[in-house]
Amino acid sequence: MMTRVISPLLAVMLLAASPAGAALAPDAPVMVAAAKRKPAKRRPSTPVPPPPQDAAPAAPVTPDVAPPVSATPESGSTAASKTQDSSGTTPSSEPGLDFDLLTPEAEASKGLLDPNLQKELETRRTMLKLHQGLGLAMAGGLTAATVLGQLQFNRSFRGGGDDRSLLAWHRGVVIGTSVLFATVGTLGVLAPDPVERPFQWDTVTFHKIFMSLATAGMIAQAVLGILATHSYGEITEPKYATAHQVVGYATLGCVAAGIVTLTF
């Protein structure tokens, strides 16, 4: 304890004895008192308030660099069009491209068919419908005539008794079928065809071929039937009757083929 008291006093005395200490002697007690004073506590620093959250963040600064543009003409025209669109201006329309691609149906049909052409097409449609309906009736009559002719052939030349009872029926059906055949052929030939079409192998072409062969068969049947009737009881009668029968089946086959080509 004595040592703690004596040490500051000796220090003060030494300072007072020295020239510099004489100048500082009045302040020596103050320095001793400051040495004995306890260090003061530091106050905590005041926290800095954070920035308000409502403040919008600063937008990042991007360099204004334009994208590279290729040297092709298409890219130049595309860039020019985009520039015009972005600026809000519309490109000027060229006078040679100002037209409608889709015209109304009523206006498109005007002038397409004149009255005469339309009338011919309607006439053709009506005649071909009659051609089709009467053609089916003719095919049915030709089938009946063929069946009756076969039955009469069996009775006359295959031991069925030389009975001519079915010959009148066969002749009547053949006459009716021939009239229908001529009418159907006339309707098909005289039907107007105003639209020119190039030749091609289609169903209509094959129908015409088969019906042409059927026409030749009908004529041949008529001739052979007349010869067979007039040679009754002679040696040539069976030959004419057989030829008449073969041509009849061939004609029926051609008619059936002509109908099938148009139906399927």
Side-chain angles (χ1 to χ4, degrees):
M1 185 69 183
M2 294 296 294
T3 304
R4 295 179 180 178
V5 176
I6 293 172
S7 296
L9 292 176
L10 290 176
V12 172
M13 292 175 65
L14 291 174
L15 290 173
S18 61
L24 297 174
D27 297 334
V30 177
M31 294 178 63
V32 173
K36 292 183 178 181
R37 190 181 303 166
K38 294 181 180 180
K41 295 183 179 180
R42 298 178 62 183
R43 294 182 180 181
S45 58
T46 304
V48 179
Q53 297 181 358
D54 296 338
V61 179
T62 57
D64 189 7
V65 179
V69 180
S70 60
T72 57
E74 291 80 358
S75 62
S77 61
T78 305
S81 63
K82 289 184 178 179
T83 304
Q84 292 179 357
D85 294 340
S86 61
S87 61
T89 59
T90 57
S92 59
S93 60
E94 299 181 2
L97 300 178
D98 190 8
F99 60 89
D100 288 334
L101 293 178
L102 299 178
T103 56
E105 185 177 359
E107 295 181 2
S109 61
K110 291 181 179 180
L112 182 61
L113 294 178
D114 56 354
N116 295 330
L117 181 59
Q118 188 173 1
K119 184 178 180 180
E120 289 182 357
L121 290 176
E122 292 178 357
T123 303
R124 175 180 174 82
R125 187 179 298 109
T126 303
M127 294 180 68
L128 290 182
K129 286 182 178 179
L130 291 174
H131 174 82
Q132 183 180 9
L134 295 177
L136 294 176
M138 180 270 300
L142 186 60
T143 303
T146 304
V147 172
L148 291 173
Q150 182 63 49
L151 293 176
Q152 183 61 54
F153 184 86
N154 293 337
R155 291 185 180 185
S156 300
F157 306 104
R158 292 185 178 177
D162 194 6
D163 185 5
R164 301 280 178 150
S165 59
L166 296 178
L167 186 59
W169 288 96
H170 173 71
R171 187 179 297 166
V173 175
V174 166
I175 293 173
T177 303
S178 299
V179 172
L180 282 176
F181 189 92
T183 304
V184 171
T186 303
L187 290 172
V189 172
L190 297 182
D193 191 5
V195 180
E196 295 183 359
R197 299 182 180 87
F199 176 79
Q200 56 183 355
W201 292 99
D202 54 0
T203 56
V204 176
T205 302
F206 284 106
H207 173 76
K208 292 179 180 179
I209 292 173
F210 286 126
M211 297 312 295
S212 299
L213 294 175
T215 303
M218 292 291 291
I219 297 173
Q221 279 191 99
V223 174
L224 292 172
I226 293 172
L227 292 174
T229 303
H230 286 283
S231 61
Y232 176 73
E234 298 179 0
I235 301 176
T236 57
E237 182 185 5
K239 295 180 181 180
Y240 289 134
T242 303
H244 177 78
Q245 179 188 22
V246 172
V247 174
Y249 280 108
T251 303
L252 180 62
C254 290
V255 171
I259 293 175
V260 169
T261 54
L262 290 181
T263 304
F264 301 99

